[in-house]
Amino acid sequence: MKKTVLLFLLVCRVFGQNVVKKASIETLDNLATQIREKIDGNPRLAAGFVRLSFHDCVGEDRCDGCINYQEPDNAGIPRYTAVLNDLYEPVKNDITRADLYAYAGVVAANYASSRDAVFDMTKFKVGRHDCSESGDETDLDEHFPSNNFQNVEELHAYFNKEFGLSLQESVALMGAHSLGRMETANSGYEGPWVPGTGQDVLNSDYYREVVNVPWFLKTMPTNSAKHQWQRRAPSLGVGNSPGQNRQPDNVLLNTDAALAVNLQLNQDTGAFQDGAECVMCPPNRRPPPGGIPCCDEDTPGREICSQYITDNPGWMCD
């Protein structure tokens, strides 16, 4: 069955909840206008609102307007909830905070879609329950995906357990990484998944980066327990800040790489296990100089990624 990537599956359903509030079309239209105006002033808010809508739906209670600000995976989220909480006060009698976080995610995704609209806004449902009136209660049941999945089967196991997603839907969900960038202060990682202005656009270009670009796993200079994939060979230095690489390139996490290759990793640090080092090779399978072999590409995730490279509408629907 066709589903809208990320948003229909995770934030546009009211997960088994009784409808507690009803919002008029006028209220939702006015909110959408205000959200788009906020993004006009700061395009990076689009990625932040999409990220927030997913993070709010992680955990046993799903989309509940409840963010655990002490959870390291939620670092940086307060800058987005602060913007939306200001919009919430005038409409709090019409919708819940959880509704607003979900709605901001779909408005932002539509805003950032360059070629194909993500979601029919007339199908958006309200009625999610808030965990509290303040929205800042601690949710101890959040189970975020690992940054160090070793293969697409591990990634699928997580999304299937948490959200009931198929393998194809799990790979499609990862395409949301086409939006935004990582920041060292928040996660210990640094850089966008898609280079240049592509990080402000929601499309399937992310899969081109995963499949068609040679990648090297590097230790982050700010934290030896963090590893990310970069285009520059190890001899050209590590890290991705302007002070170390004059032109910051885009990056992948191990979990992104695991869509297209099979890895053998230390689950605590994300480094290779002894003797398991490899390079994500370009399509011609010629490893770059240095004697490091190509990573194992025998994985069903790679075929799905390759399909999405040339089929943006198909990715949007899966």
Side-chain angles (χ1 to χ4, degrees), residues 80-93:
Y80 310 117
T81 55
V83 173
L84 295 179
N85 288 343
D86 286 342
L87 301 183
Y88 175 67
E89 285 302 313
V91 297
K92 63 183 180 182
N93 292 326

Side-chain angles (χ1 to χ4, degrees), residues 274-312:
D274 291 343
E277 186 175 3
C278 63
V279 175
M280 292 181 68
C281 293
N284 62 18
R285 291 288 295 168
R286 294 179 181 174
I292 302 175
C294 295
C295 299
D296 175 18
E297 297 179 357
D298 185 15
T299 168
R302 190 174 191 86
E303 181 178 353
I304 298 172
C305 290
S306 298
Q307 293 171 355
Y308 288 151
I309 291 173
T310 57
D311 188 12
N312 191 69

Side-chain angles (χ1 to χ4, degrees), residues 144-163:
F144 287 95
S146 169
N147 292 323
N148 294 322
F149 288 138
Q150 301 178 96
N151 51 62
V152 75
E153 286 81 8
E154 290 183 357
L155 180 141
H156 174 224
Y158 168 82
F159 284 113
N160 180 259
K161 178 181 178 181
E162 293 294 321
F163 302 107

